[in-house]
Amino acid sequence: MRHRIVHMAMNQPSCAHALAAAQTLGLDRLDAQLLLLHALGKPADSRAWLLAHDTDLLSEEAAEAFRAMSLRRAAGEPLAYIVGSKEFFGLTLQVDARVLVPRPDTETLVTWALEVLQTSAAPAVPEILDLGTGSGAIALAIAHSLKAAGHQSHVVAVDASAGALDVARENAARLGVDVDFIQGHWLKEVSGHFHLIVSNPPYIASADPHLNALAHEPLTALAAGPDGLDDIREIIHQAPRCLLEGGWLLLEHGYDQAAAVRELLADEGFEQVQSRQDLAGIERCSGGLWPGNRAQNQTAG
């Protein structure tokens, strides 16, 4: 009987001991706490519960689940893939290896988009296009925010990946947000004209060593040619045909790409070209206003 009790204790560590074991694997404390809460079936905002129950013993099932998740995290798999969700702009999004994990930096793009749509010149029902939607984070955050504020909108989201669109559709359905989804490469399958086009495209240089740390996420959603600007160039070149006069194109980009993106926008004919900083003070997004096709406008006049 004594041996059985000892065996059970070995397989039933306390919360504190489980967290300490995870940290020996190299996990930081916050990640370990979030994984343990997930293994226990508790919400991510229950970290105070762990402190109050640090001597509680885990069930053998919970202990094994926590060990397995800790090993996955120690191997570099994103926390969001392991727990299956990620918070973004107040929304809980389901994510997996078919899509990039939404980053807090991208909330800068959403905030700027909402500011553009809240100006006095904004239409009653804005037409909005999100290119490379992935999990649907940007499109859903914009649509949900406008709906919560009592505004109507028509949001279209595009992605080349069928798997990513499946994830985005599931998120839209679960959140009760109306978004139209299109499978296609950037604007090639898009018809119609929009007041706002937003995108968080791939922008890492294909030889950038930082890609090694992102090996668990889809490479096609990360890398974009030798300087990381191939997809941004394509979007900027294609966008005017789908923008209404006075419409905006807003793009997320790398920490050192703002000047290059502004130059690309200006060269294409965009006006009011500018950048926005993220919370770390880094120029994370750039965009501009499309004045319309002057030659066509003059002919029409």
Side-chain angles (χ1 to χ4, degrees):
M1 182 71 173
R2 178 177 177 277
H3 292 299
R4 185 182 174 198
I5 293 173
V6 171
H7 175 73
M8 289 176 62
M10 289 176 63
N11 286 279
Q12 293 179 264
S14 67
C15 289
H17 286 148
L19 290 173
Q23 287 181 272
T24 64
L25 294 174
L27 275 67
D28 66 43
R29 184 166 180 79
L30 176 58
D31 280 4
Q33 290 175 327
L34 293 174
L35 288 176
L36 183 53
L37 288 170
H38 188 68
L40 292 169
K42 295 188 176 296
D45 59 1
S46 301
R47 291 168 62 203
W49 183 93
L50 289 177
L51 297 174
H53 295 80
D54 61 344
T55 60
D56 287 12
L57 295 181
L58 303 182
S59 69
E60 188 170 347
E61 180 181 10
E64 182 55 39
F66 179 63
R67 279 193 292 271
M69 290 189 293
S70 295
L71 289 171
R72 290 170 62 186
R73 184 70 188 106
E77 187 172 351
L79 178 74
Y81 289 171
I82 300 171
V83 301
S85 65
K86 178 70 175 180
E87 293 290 320
F88 180 81
F89 216 80
L91 304 177
T92 300
L93 300 173
Q94 302 300 312
V95 296
D96 58 35
R98 292 173 289 178
V99 298
L100 285 184
V101 177
R103 266 70 168 179
D105 293 343
T106 304
E107 294 189 358
T108 303
L109 185 66
V110 175
T111 299
W112 191 3
L114 292 172
E115 289 176 8
V116 166
L117 295 170
Q118 289 167 358
T119 64
S120 58
V125 184
E127 297 283 339
I128 303 159
L129 179 64
D130 174 28
L131 298 173
T133 195
S135 64
I138 296 171
L140 293 172
I142 292 173
H144 183 271
S145 297
L146 291 173
K147 181 180 178 181
H151 301 304
Q152 293 182 306
S153 64
H154 177 223
V155 181
V156 178
V158 178
D159 205 287
S161 166
L165 288 175
D166 286 341
V167 174
R169 287 191 184 98
E170 291 166 7
N171 279 322
R174 187 174 48 79
L175 294 169
V177 178
D178 291 328
V179 172
D180 291 334
F181 294 99
I182 298 173
Q183 185 174 358
H185 182 72
W186 303 132
L187 290 132
K188 289 182 179 178
E189 304 300 324
V190 176
S191 59
H193 293 83
F194 299 85
H195 299 95
L196 173 66
I197 298 177
V198 293
S199 182
N200 176 21
Y203 53 72
I204 301 176
S206 53
D208 192 315
H210 292 98
L211 286 172
N212 294 331
L214 303 170
H216 291 270
E217 299 185 72
L219 180 63
T220 55
L222 291 164
D227 63 357
L229 293 171
D230 282 4
D231 288 311
I232 287 177
R233 286 190 189 91
E234 186 171 351
I235 292 169
I236 290 174
H237 182 64
Q238 293 180 3
R241 74 169 178 83
C242 290
L243 276 170
L244 291 162
E245 183 176 344
W248 282 84
L249 172 64
L250 306 181
L251 300 161
E252 181 174 334
H253 49 67
Y255 72 96
D256 59 351
Q257 296 173 329
V261 175
R262 288 195 299 267
E263 184 176 355
L264 289 169
L265 287 162
D267 288 348
E268 191 66 37
F270 284 87
E271 298 180 354
Q272 299 185 38
V273 173
Q274 56 193 278
S275 298
R276 289 292 178 92
Q277 296 180 346
D278 60 21
L279 292 176
I282 296 169
E283 288 185 318
R284 179 60 59 185
C285 304
S286 296
L289 177 145
W290 182 244
N293 189 314
R294 292 188 182 86
Q296 287 184 355
N297 291 342
Q298 290 169 0
T299 302

Coordinates of all heavy atoms in Angstrom, one line a residue, residues 157-202:
A157 N -12.5 39.2 -47.0 CA -11.2 38.7 -46.6 C -10.7 37.7 -47.6 O -11.4 36.8 -48.0 CB -11.3 38.1 -45.2
V158 N -9.4 37.9 -48.0 CA -8.8 37.0 -49.0 C -7.6 36.3 -48.4 O -6.9 36.8 -47.6 CB -8.3 37.9 -50.2 CG1 -7.7 37.1 -51.2 CG2 -9.5 38.7 -50.8
D159 N -7.5 35.0 -48.9 CA -6.3 34.3 -48.5 C -6.0 33.2 -49.6 O -7.0 32.7 -50.2 CB -6.4 33.6 -47.2 CG -5.0 33.4 -46.6 OD1 -4.3 32.5 -47.1 OD2 -4.6 34.1 -45.6
A160 N -4.8 33.0 -49.9 CA -4.5 32.0 -50.9 C -4.6 30.5 -50.4 O -4.7 29.6 -51.2 CB -3.0 32.2 -51.5
S161 N -4.6 30.4 -49.1 CA -4.6 29.1 -48.4 C -6.1 28.7 -48.1 O -6.8 29.4 -47.3 CB -3.8 29.1 -47.2 OG -4.0 28.0 -46.4
A162 N -6.5 27.5 -48.6 CA -7.8 27.0 -48.3 C -7.9 26.7 -46.8 O -8.9 26.9 -46.1 CB -8.1 25.8 -49.1
G163 N -6.8 26.1 -46.2 CA -6.8 25.8 -44.8 C -6.9 27.0 -43.9 O -7.7 27.0 -42.9
A164 N -6.2 28.1 -44.3 CA -6.4 29.3 -43.5 C -7.8 29.9 -43.6 O -8.3 30.3 -42.6 CB -5.4 30.4 -44.1
L165 N -8.4 29.8 -44.7 CA -9.8 30.3 -44.9 C -10.7 29.4 -44.0 O -11.7 30.0 -43.5 CB -10.2 30.3 -46.3 CG -9.6 31.4 -47.2 CD1 -10.0 31.2 -48.7 CD2 -10.0 32.8 -46.7
D166 N -10.5 28.1 -43.9 CA -11.3 27.3 -43.0 C -11.2 27.8 -41.6 O -12.2 27.9 -40.9 CB -10.9 25.8 -43.1 CG -11.2 25.2 -44.4 OD1 -12.2 25.7 -45.1 OD2 -10.6 24.1 -44.7
V167 N -10.0 28.1 -41.1 CA -9.8 28.6 -39.8 C -10.6 30.0 -39.6 O -11.3 30.2 -38.7 CB -8.3 28.8 -39.5 CG1 -8.2 29.5 -38.1 CG2 -7.6 27.5 -39.5
A168 N -10.4 30.9 -40.6 CA -11.1 32.2 -40.6 C -12.6 32.1 -40.5 O -13.3 32.8 -39.8 CB -10.6 33.0 -41.7
R169 N -13.1 31.2 -41.4 CA -14.6 31.0 -41.4 C -15.1 30.5 -40.1 O -16.2 30.9 -39.6 CB -14.9 30.0 -42.5 CG -14.8 30.6 -43.9 CD -15.5 29.7 -45.0 NE -15.3 30.2 -46.3 CZ -14.3 29.7 -47.2 NH1 -13.5 28.8 -46.7 NH2 -14.2 30.2 -48.4
E170 N -14.4 29.6 -39.5 CA -14.8 29.0 -38.2 C -14.8 30.1 -37.1 O -15.7 30.2 -36.3 CB -13.9 27.9 -37.8 CG -14.1 26.6 -38.6 CD -12.9 25.6 -38.5 OE1 -12.1 25.8 -37.6 OE2 -12.9 24.6 -39.2
N171 N -13.8 31.0 -37.2 CA -13.7 32.1 -36.2 C -14.9 33.1 -36.4 O -15.5 33.5 -35.5 CB -12.4 32.8 -36.3 CG -11.2 32.1 -35.6 OD1 -11.4 31.6 -34.5 ND2 -10.1 32.1 -36.2
A172 N -15.1 33.4 -37.7 CA -16.2 34.3 -38.0 C -17.6 33.7 -37.5 O -18.4 34.5 -36.9 CB -16.3 34.6 -39.5
A173 N -17.8 32.4 -37.7 CA -19.1 31.8 -37.3 C -19.2 31.8 -35.8 O -20.2 32.1 -35.2 CB -19.1 30.4 -37.9
R174 N -18.1 31.5 -35.1 CA -18.1 31.4 -33.7 C -18.3 32.7 -33.0 O -19.0 32.9 -32.0 CB -16.8 30.8 -33.2 CG -16.8 30.5 -31.7 CD -15.5 29.7 -31.3 NE -14.4 30.4 -31.9 CZ -13.8 31.5 -31.4 NH1 -14.3 32.0 -30.3 NH2 -12.7 32.0 -32.0
L175 N -17.8 33.8 -33.6 CA -17.9 35.1 -33.1 C -19.2 35.9 -33.6 O -19.5 36.9 -33.1 CB -16.7 36.0 -33.5 CG -15.3 35.5 -32.9 CD1 -14.2 36.3 -33.5 CD2 -15.3 35.8 -31.4
G176 N -19.9 35.3 -34.5 CA -21.1 35.9 -35.0 C -20.8 37.1 -35.8 O -21.6 38.1 -35.8
V177 N -19.7 37.1 -36.6 CA -19.3 38.3 -37.4 C -19.5 38.0 -38.9 O -19.0 36.9 -39.3 CB -17.9 38.7 -37.1 CG1 -17.5 39.9 -38.0 CG2 -17.7 39.1 -35.6
D178 N -20.1 38.8 -39.6 CA -20.3 38.6 -41.1 C -19.1 39.1 -41.9 O -18.8 40.3 -41.9 CB -21.6 39.3 -41.6 CG -22.8 38.7 -41.0 OD1 -22.8 37.4 -40.8 OD2 -23.8 39.4 -40.8
V179 N -18.4 38.2 -42.5 CA -17.3 38.5 -43.4 C -17.4 37.6 -44.6 O -17.7 36.4 -44.5 CB -16.0 38.3 -42.7 CG1 -14.8 38.4 -43.7 CG2 -15.8 39.3 -41.6
D180 N -17.2 38.1 -45.8 CA -17.2 37.3 -47.0 C -15.7 36.9 -47.3 O -14.8 37.7 -47.2 CB -17.7 38.1 -48.2 CG -19.2 38.4 -48.2 OD1 -19.9 37.6 -47.5 OD2 -19.6 39.4 -48.7
F181 N -15.5 35.6 -47.6 CA -14.2 35.1 -47.8 C -14.0 34.7 -49.2 O -14.9 34.1 -49.9 CB -14.0 33.9 -46.9 CG -14.0 34.2 -45.4 CD1 -15.1 34.1 -44.6 CD2 -12.8 34.8 -44.8 CE1 -15.1 34.4 -43.3 CE2 -12.8 35.1 -43.5 CZ -14.0 34.9 -42.7
I182 N -12.8 35.0 -49.7 CA -12.4 34.6 -51.1 C -11.0 33.9 -51.1 O -10.1 34.4 -50.4 CB -12.3 35.9 -52.0 CG1 -13.6 36.6 -52.1 CG2 -11.8 35.6 -53.4 CD1 -13.6 37.9 -52.8
Q183 N -10.9 32.8 -51.8 CA -9.6 32.2 -52.0 C -8.9 32.8 -53.2 O -9.5 32.8 -54.3 CB -9.7 30.7 -52.1 CG -8.3 30.0 -52.1 CD -8.4 28.5 -52.1 OE1 -9.5 27.9 -52.0 NE2 -7.3 27.9 -52.2
G184 N -7.7 33.3 -53.0 CA -7.0 33.9 -54.2 C -5.7 34.5 -53.7 O -5.5 34.7 -52.5
H185 N -4.9 34.9 -54.7 CA -3.6 35.5 -54.4 C -3.7 37.0 -54.5 O -3.9 37.6 -55.6 CB -2.6 35.0 -55.5 CG -1.2 35.5 -55.2 ND1 -0.4 35.2 -54.2 CD2 -0.5 36.5 -55.9 CE1 0.8 35.8 -54.3 NE2 0.7 36.6 -55.3
W186 N -3.7 37.6 -53.3 CA -3.8 39.0 -53.2 C -5.1 39.5 -53.9 O -6.2 39.1 -53.6 CB -2.6 39.8 -53.6 CG -1.3 39.4 -52.9 CD1 -0.1 39.0 -53.4 CD2 -1.2 39.2 -51.5 NE1 0.8 38.6 -52.4 CE2 0.1 38.7 -51.2 CE3 -2.0 39.3 -50.4 CZ2 0.6 38.4 -49.9 CZ3 -1.6 39.1 -49.1 CH2 -0.3 38.6 -48.9
L187 N -5.0 40.4 -54.9 CA -6.2 41.0 -55.5 C -6.7 40.3 -56.8 O -7.6 40.8 -57.4 CB -6.0 42.5 -55.7 CG -5.9 43.3 -54.5 CD1 -4.7 44.2 -54.5 CD2 -7.2 44.1 -54.2
K188 N -6.0 39.2 -57.2 CA -6.3 38.7 -58.5 C -7.7 38.2 -58.6 O -8.3 38.2 -59.7 CB -5.3 37.5 -58.8 CG -3.9 38.1 -59.1 CD -2.9 37.0 -59.4 CE -1.5 37.5 -59.7 NZ -0.5 36.4 -60.0
E189 N -8.3 37.7 -57.6 CA -9.7 37.2 -57.6 C -10.7 38.1 -57.1 O -11.9 37.8 -56.9 CB -9.8 35.8 -56.8 CG -8.8 34.8 -57.2 CD -9.0 34.3 -58.7 OE1 -10.2 34.3 -59.1 OE2 -8.0 34.1 -59.4
V190 N -10.3 39.4 -56.8 CA -11.1 40.4 -56.2 C -11.8 41.2 -57.3 O -11.1 41.7 -58.2 CB -10.4 41.2 -55.2 CG1 -11.2 42.3 -54.6 CG2 -9.8 40.4 -54.1
S191 N -13.1 41.5 -57.1 CA -13.8 42.4 -58.0 C -14.4 43.5 -57.1 O -14.5 43.3 -55.9 CB -14.9 41.7 -58.8 OG -15.8 41.1 -58.0
G192 N -14.8 44.6 -57.7 CA -15.4 45.6 -56.9 C -14.4 46.6 -56.4 O -13.2 46.5 -56.7
H193 N -14.9 47.7 -55.7 CA -14.0 48.7 -55.2 C -14.2 49.0 -53.7 O -15.3 48.8 -53.2 CB -14.3 50.0 -56.0 CG -13.9 49.9 -57.4 ND1 -14.7 49.3 -58.4 CD2 -12.7 50.3 -58.1 CE1 -14.0 49.4 -59.6 NE2 -12.8 49.9 -59.4
F194 N -13.2 49.4 -53.0 CA -13.2 49.5 -51.6 C -12.8 50.8 -51.1 O -12.0 51.5 -51.7 CB -12.3 48.4 -51.0 CG -12.7 47.0 -51.4 CD1 -12.3 46.4 -52.6 CD2 -13.5 46.2 -50.6 CE1 -12.7 45.2 -53.0 CE2 -14.0 45.0 -50.9 CZ -13.6 44.4 -52.1
H195 N -13.3 51.2 -49.9 CA -12.9 52.4 -49.2 C -11.6 52.2 -48.5 O -10.9 53.2 -48.2 CB -14.0 52.9 -48.3 CG -15.3 53.2 -48.9 ND1 -16.4 52.2 -49.0 CD2 -15.8 54.3 -49.5 CE1 -17.4 52.8 -49.6 NE2 -17.1 54.0 -50.0
L196 N -11.4 50.9 -48.1 CA -10.2 50.6 -47.3 C -9.7 49.2 -47.6 O -10.4 48.3 -47.7 CB -10.5 50.7 -45.8 CG -9.5 50.2 -44.8 CD1 -8.3 51.2 -44.9 CD2 -10.0 50.2 -43.4
I197 N -8.4 49.1 -47.9 CA -7.7 47.8 -48.1 C -6.6 47.8 -47.0 O -5.8 48.7 -46.8 CB -7.1 47.7 -49.5 CG1 -8.1 47.7 -50.5 CG2 -6.3 46.4 -49.5 CD1 -7.6 47.7 -52.0
V198 N -6.6 46.7 -46.2 CA -5.6 46.5 -45.2 C -4.9 45.1 -45.4 O -5.5 44.2 -46.0 CB -6.3 46.5 -43.8 CG1 -6.8 47.8 -43.4 CG2 -7.4 45.4 -43.7
S199 N -3.7 45.0 -45.0 CA -3.0 43.8 -45.2 C -1.8 43.7 -44.2 O -1.1 44.6 -44.0 CB -2.5 43.6 -46.6 OG -1.8 42.3 -46.8
N200 N -1.6 42.5 -43.7 CA -0.4 42.1 -43.0 C 0.2 41.0 -43.8 O 0.1 39.8 -43.5 CB -0.7 41.6 -41.5 CG 0.5 41.2 -40.8 OD1 1.6 41.5 -41.2 ND2 0.3 40.3 -39.8
P201 N 0.9 41.3 -44.8 CA 1.5 40.3 -45.7 C 2.8 39.8 -45.2 O 3.4 40.3 -44.3 CB 1.7 41.1 -47.0 CG 2.1 42.5 -46.5 CD 1.2 42.7 -45.3
P202 N 3.3 38.7 -45.9 CA 4.7 38.3 -45.5 C 5.7 39.4 -45.8 O 5.5 40.1 -46.8 CB 4.9 37.1 -46.5 CG 3.6 36.7 -46.9 CD 2.7 37.9 -46.9

